[in-house]
Amino acid sequence: MRRILPRTIQGQLIFGTIVVQTVLLVIFLTYTISAQRSQTRERARQRLLQQVERLAGACSVPLSQNHMDALKEILETARITPTIDGARVTDLSGRTLAVSESNADEPLSAEERRELMGPVKARLFATAQGRTEGVAPIFVSGKPAGLIWLEPSSSALASNIGIIVTGALWYGGLALLSNLLPILLIVRGVSRPLRKLREATQQIIRDPESNAGFPLVVTASNEVGELTRSFNTMVRELEDQRAGLYETLALLDSMLGNAPIGFAFFDQKLRYVRLNQFLADINGLPINRHLGRRMTEVFPGPLAERVEMLLSTVFDSGEPVRDIEMKGELPSLPGVPRSWICNWYPVRTQQGVVRWVGVVVMEITQRLQAEEALRKTEKLAAAGRLAASIAHEINNPLEAVTNLLYLLQTHPELDSAAREYVSTAQAELARVSEITQQTLRFYRQSTFPVQTQVGEVLDSVLALHQLRLGSARITVEREYGPAVALFGFSGELRQLFANLIGNAIDAMVGGGRLIVRARYGTGRSLRGGWCEGVRVTVSDTGTGMSEETRRRLFEPFYTTKDATGTGLGLWVSDEIIRKHSGTVRVKSRQGEQSGTTFAIFFPKDGLNSVRPILSNDAAKEAANA
């Protein structure tokens, strides 16, 4: 049935109207033809009965005169009537006396013979073929002398019915056209806006982002117009909702993409469905290398297996798992231990089914390293305070011993050999005093930038490392003079040079050469421009550095000294160089003629923006430093 019905409203209305009109016309024709046929048959019977009686009276005279030609002429005249098909006159025994030309002289049928003895008046009877015939006696001198037989015309009944059918068909056709005309007019006014609505709906389905052609023009003031206005309102609200949704998604994407922690979502097959760039950077792989793959496929190993086990636990229980510390290594950085704090939480649909599991990852590697470095730094600070305290306490007896040695040297009874011993003791005692002074200087840092003699700072640092240099069989080459000066924080510069020289000594385990240079020159400042300043170079002939070490040289907490290093020395040194607007270049090679060179350039005006007007107290402090 659905295949027969048209798809459009106009076609359906036309089809339905035609079907209904046709059914009504068939019912009307059936009833009309049935009623008309009954009425026509009854009228035909009455007319046939009257015609046979009249013809019987008309045939009485010719029959009494035995004038057969006149009798036949009467019968032919009767045939002129369209309702009579044939006529015959017989005697009472059934012998034909006269017959019309259209009615052949055939013997009477059995039904007609049964009527020979019966009729004393006009009557009608049915033949075997279902036709109705009329018979009436012909009286001569008051007595029946013959019979007249009439056969009615069947075409008359059919003609009447045909006229009725033709009229009904014309009426039905006109009625159908009169019904279709307003339908076409009404449907056209309805179907055109509906067609536009359908096209607009299909456009939204094909391209939800496009609003071309909206709002639709309202061309009707009926229900279709109200529907068009409602559709325009719906499209406008959808656009507002879509804009709000896009803003929300953009906000969420921005939060996920720029959050300083890692986010990832996994499906029920434990595959990545989404993650942010921060987590991809932690893993050291691009985002597209994660999506659609399991973690054991991206990072095979026990760490990935443990993560997938916890993912399965959350999928099965529907409960979050919080604050789990994970440790391991990533393929992008083999040999580098990492630590993370991870949280797993379920993401449910409206039916309450866990569809995804979200993972929040926060790396705590640097925090743990910072805590460990803080503990080491605190130990170093405590040792520094203890050393400063010891140096301070040693200064007082050193002054007394120095005075006693001076008095002893000037004693008149002392021989020349004893005086040489006293001079040697005074020199060693002066060296001990210098060491204590340098120790105090490291502890008592200056808080104001001052004009600092680079050579003096380098000498003091080398003096502190003199014992290590001698025991390691390292030869020191100094290439600087007393005139090289730099405006800066003397304590921080001393710390910078101490870190560089200490690292150089550590790199030359089997002995070597330590070259320290300081001179005026030109170079590139931190801002990128060329200028005049001081260049300090620390070179060694040690083991050199690998490419990985050079790449991560200034990262905090990165160290190659295992338990003895904090990984903060060069990071702090880089901060000191930047603070003085300086730059550093590192050259290193391994193998034959290995070694490392740190070349630092300090601009002459690197600290001009922070140069203070020293007060008296500050000047005293700078002088004491």
Side-chain angles (χ1 to χ4, degrees):
M1 186 63 182
R2 291 182 179 178
R3 295 180 181 178
I4 298 175
L5 287 175
R7 299 180 61 181
T8 63
I9 295 177
Q10 181 176 355
Q12 291 174 1
L13 285 175
I14 293 175
F15 179 79
T17 302
I18 293 174
V19 170
V20 171
Q21 290 288 342
T22 303
V23 171
L24 292 176
L25 183 60
V26 170
I27 294 174
F28 173 75
L29 286 176
T30 302
Y31 173 76
T32 303
I33 291 173
S34 177
Q36 189 67 25
R37 181 176 294 173
S38 299
Q39 295 177 4
T40 302
R41 284 180 178 176
E42 183 61 30
R43 287 196 298 269
R45 288 173 63 88
Q46 296 297 328
R47 184 171 56 250
L48 182 60
L49 189 60
Q50 293 175 2
Q51 288 173 342
V52 76
E53 288 179 349
R54 292 177 181 176
L55 286 175
C59 292
S60 176
V61 175
L63 183 61
S64 64
Q65 296 175 357
N66 199 19
H67 196 329
M68 297 303 163
D69 292 335
L71 190 61
K72 186 176 182 180
E73 186 178 352
I74 292 173
L75 295 180
E76 288 295 335
T77 304
R79 281 191 64 250
I80 297 176
T81 305
T83 58
I84 297 177
D85 194 28
R88 174 189 302 193
V89 176
T90 63
D91 58 12
L92 295 178
S93 63
R95 183 173 60 88
T96 301
L97 300 177
V99 66
S100 62
E101 291 182 359
S102 63
N103 197 3
D105 188 9
E106 297 177 356
L108 298 177
S109 63
E111 291 79 8
E112 292 173 335
R113 288 188 177 278
R114 281 197 296 269
E115 298 295 330
L116 290 175
M117 302 303 295
V120 292
K121 62 179 181 178
R123 58 174 296 181
L124 303 176
F125 65 94
T127 64
Q129 291 79 16
R131 299 178 61 183
T132 301
E133 291 187 12
V135 61
I138 301 173
F139 292 94
V140 177
S141 300
K143 293 181 180 180
L147 297 173
I148 182 170
W149 308 80
L150 288 181
E151 296 179 8
S153 176
S154 58
S155 61
L157 178 60
S159 177
N160 292 333
I161 294 176
I163 294 172
I164 295 172
V165 171
T166 302
L169 290 176
W170 275 101
Y171 174 80
L174 293 174
L176 180 60
L177 290 176
S178 63
N179 288 331
L180 290 178
L181 183 59
I183 288 176
L184 290 173
L185 295 176
I186 295 174
V187 169
R188 186 177 181 183
V190 174
S191 62
R192 182 177 297 175
L194 291 180
R195 189 181 304 112
K196 291 183 179 179
L197 287 175
R198 183 190 64 186
E199 293 173 354
T201 304
Q202 292 175 350
Q203 176 184 339
I204 292 176
I205 294 174
R206 289 192 305 268
D207 188 6
E209 304 294 334
S210 176
N211 290 327
F214 291 99
L216 300 177
V217 179
V218 180
T219 58
S221 58
N222 51 17
E223 291 85 351
V224 178
E226 291 294 331
L227 179 61
T228 305
R229 280 189 285 269
S230 299
F231 188 83
N232 289 334
T233 303
M234 180 192 70
V235 172
R236 186 168 57 253
E237 291 180 354
L238 286 176
E239 183 179 0
D240 294 340
Q241 292 177 2
R242 185 167 58 246
L245 178 61
Y246 286 163
E247 291 178 357
T248 303
L249 291 177
L251 178 61
L252 291 177
D253 286 341
S254 177
M255 292 175 60
L256 290 176
N258 299 312
I261 55 178
F263 288 96
F265 295 92
F266 296 83
D267 60 13
Q268 295 182 352
K269 294 183 179 180
L270 309 184
R271 298 175 303 191
Y272 283 98
V273 295
R274 192 166 186 180
L275 72 159
N276 65 344
Q277 188 62 45
F278 190 87
L279 182 59
D281 293 340
I282 290 178
N283 297 338
L285 292 173
I287 293 178
N288 56 7
R289 290 281 300 276
H290 295 77
L291 300 179
R293 303 172 66 185
R294 296 178 57 149
M295 190 171 180
T296 51
E297 298 174 355
V298 181
F299 310 114
L303 176 63
E305 294 175 358
R306 187 183 179 192
V307 171
E308 291 192 350
M309 180 190 68
L310 292 172
L311 286 172
S312 300
T313 301
V314 177
F315 272 116
D316 295 337
S317 65
E319 297 295 328
V321 177
R322 297 186 175 91
D323 299 332
I324 301 297
E325 183 175 343
M326 311 285 288
K327 294 185 177 182
E329 299 178 1
L330 296 177
S332 58
L333 291 174
V336 180
R338 310 279 287 274
S339 301
W340 304 273
I341 287 291
C342 303
N343 291 270
W344 289 259
Y345 61 92
V347 180
R348 293 181 171 86
T349 60
Q350 293 181 351
Q351 292 76 20
V353 179
V354 179
R355 186 172 181 180
W356 301 287
V357 169
V359 181
V360 180
V361 181
M362 183 170 58
E363 186 163 2
I364 58 172
T365 304
Q366 291 190 355
R367 191 186 77 184
L368 296 179
Q369 291 175 343
E371 292 174 355
E372 181 64 24
L374 183 62
R375 286 191 290 269
K376 292 181 179 180
T377 304
E378 186 64 28
K379 292 180 182 178
L380 292 176
R385 288 192 296 270
L386 179 61
S389 177
I390 293 174
H392 180 74
E393 295 298 327
I394 289 176
N395 268 336
N396 292 330
L398 280 179
E399 290 180 0
V401 173
T402 300
N403 293 332
L404 290 174
L405 287 175
Y406 175 77
L407 295 175
L408 182 62
Q409 188 179 23
T410 58
H411 198 277
E413 297 180 0
L414 200 64
D415 58 12
S416 59
R419 284 190 176 88
E420 290 181 1
Y421 291 145
V422 171
S423 298
T424 302
Q426 283 180 330
E428 293 298 321
L429 193 61
R431 183 167 173 269
V432 171
S433 177
E434 178 65 19
I435 292 173
T436 58
Q437 290 297 325
Q438 295 295 336
T439 303
L440 287 174
R441 287 175 183 172
F442 268 102
Y443 181 69
R444 296 172 181 173
Q445 300 288 351
S446 174
T447 58
F448 291 91
V450 295
Q451 196 74 12
T452 304
Q453 298 298 321
V454 177
E456 293 181 1
V457 175
L458 290 173
D459 286 338
S460 66
V461 173
L462 291 171
L464 282 176
H465 291 88
Q466 187 62 44
L467 183 60
R468 291 184 60 196
L469 291 169
S471 61
R473 300 189 304 277
I474 297 175
T475 302
V476 179
E477 299 180 8
R478 295 177 171 88
E479 298 181 9
Y480 52 82
V484 179
L486 175 66
F487 182 75
F489 295 93
S490 59
E492 293 182 0
L493 293 175
R494 185 177 288 107
Q495 182 180 0
L496 166 64
F497 298 146
N499 287 336
L500 297 179
I501 292 174
N503 289 339
I505 295 173
D506 293 335
M508 294 183 286
V509 179
R513 294 165 51 229
L514 174 64
I515 303 98
V516 182
R517 301 184 180 93
R519 61 182 176 83
Y520 289 110
T522 59
R524 192 179 298 275
S525 69
L526 184 63
R527 298 179 179 86
W530 286 89
C531 58
E532 296 181 353
V534 175
R535 186 179 300 278
V536 179
T537 304
V538 178
S539 302
D540 64 68
T541 58
T543 56
M545 293 182 290
S546 64
E547 181 64 29
E548 174 68 15
T549 302
R550 286 199 300 271
R551 184 171 63 87
R552 306 182 61 190
L553 192 61
F554 296 104
E555 288 185 11
F557 310 114
Y558 177 74
T559 179
T560 58
K561 300 178 183 179
D562 299 329
T564 61
T566 63
L568 296 175
L570 289 179
W571 176 69
V572 172
S573 299
D574 185 57
E575 292 295 322
I576 293 173
I577 295 171
R578 290 176 178 273
K579 185 175 182 180
H580 290 76
S581 300
T583 57
V584 59
R585 289 189 303 165
V586 182
K587 295 181 180 180
S588 183
R589 57 185 175 182
Q590 293 179 310
E592 295 184 2
Q593 297 181 351
S594 61
T596 302
T597 299
F598 283 83
I600 308 167
F601 177 75
F602 296 99
K604 181 175 60 175
D605 300 328
L607 285 178
N608 271 352
S609 59
V610 297
R611 184 189 296 266
I613 300 175
L614 297 178
S615 61
N616 292 332
D617 294 338
K620 292 179 182 179
E621 180 183 356
N624 292 332

